[in-house]
Amino acid sequence: QVLSLLPVYLLQLCYGMNSDFPAILTPQLAEPCSEFYIGIEQESWIVSLDNMLAPLICITSGFLQQKFGPLRLLMFSCIPYTVGWVTAALATDASHLYVSRIFVGISHAILSTTVYTIEISSKELRGSFSVLESVLRCLGSVLIFILGLS
């Protein structure tokens, strides 16, 4: 069971890293020596844009899990994550970061509604495995802050 949940846990780690990435990025872009400058309004959009589509995607995710299955939907969530990270890495202005945050938001919403862990785990371990997802999200947040300090 643990081996079959490793991809889910890796995605949860990414979830935590992506959630707090703007907290590391935006102060650096607000400095005068950054690659490109962002103002307060742009900063607020970058920080919050990933949550704007979440309610719509969460509702849609439930239907998509019924149609394609939770595992396929989890595999699909890797695509927006990858596109979001690559877009952020290659960003030359704030609009690229907006697009990045939208793609990350799609993956976040899909991961928030997953039932894969519950479907494949035994009754005895279901609670522990579900809680571990939250722990890994928090660990991802801590990891991105540690990487941002270096």
Side-chain angles (χ1 to χ4, degrees):
Q1 288 179 359
V2 174
L3 288 176
S4 60
L5 287 172
L6 282 178
V8 175
Y9 292 152
L10 184 60
L11 284 169
Q12 295 296 343
L13 191 68
C14 289
Y15 186 119
M17 291 175 72
N18 278 311
S19 294
D20 290 331
F21 179 65
I24 301 297
L25 177 69
T26 52
Q28 293 176 7
L29 291 178
E31 293 178 2
C33 62
S34 65
E35 289 186 34
F36 59 91
Y37 178 77
I38 60 166
I40 296 292
E41 185 176 327
Q42 292 170 317
E43 180 179 346
S44 65
W45 278 106
I46 291 169
V47 170
S48 62
L49 202 52
D50 61 332
N51 294 316
M52 288 184 62
L53 293 176
L56 179 63
I57 303 295
C58 284
I59 293 169
T60 309
S61 175
F63 295 115
L64 291 173
Q65 285 187 54
Q66 287 180 346
K67 184 171 176 104
F68 299 110
L71 180 60
R72 285 199 177 118
L73 203 58
L74 282 172
M75 289 189 289
F76 169 77
S77 73
C78 294
I79 296 169
Y81 264 145
T82 303
V83 171
W85 274 110
V86 169
T87 305
L90 301 175
T92 57
D93 65 359
S95 63
H96 295 136
L97 294 175
Y98 298 158
V99 172
S100 169
R101 299 308 296 166
I102 289 171
F103 279 112
V104 165
I106 291 169
S107 289
H108 283 182
I110 291 171
L111 285 175
S112 296
T113 58
T114 186
V115 294
Y116 180 72
T117 303
I118 295 166
E119 282 188 355
I120 68 160
S121 58
S122 65
K123 290 179 185 178
E124 297 81 26
L125 297 174
R126 193 172 290 160
S128 300
F129 287 150
S130 296
V131 168
L132 191 54
E133 290 182 14
S134 298
V135 170
L136 286 167
R137 282 185 200 167
C138 294
L139 184 63
S141 296
V142 170
L143 183 62
I144 200 71
F145 281 112
I146 290 171
L147 292 172
L149 292 175
S150 58

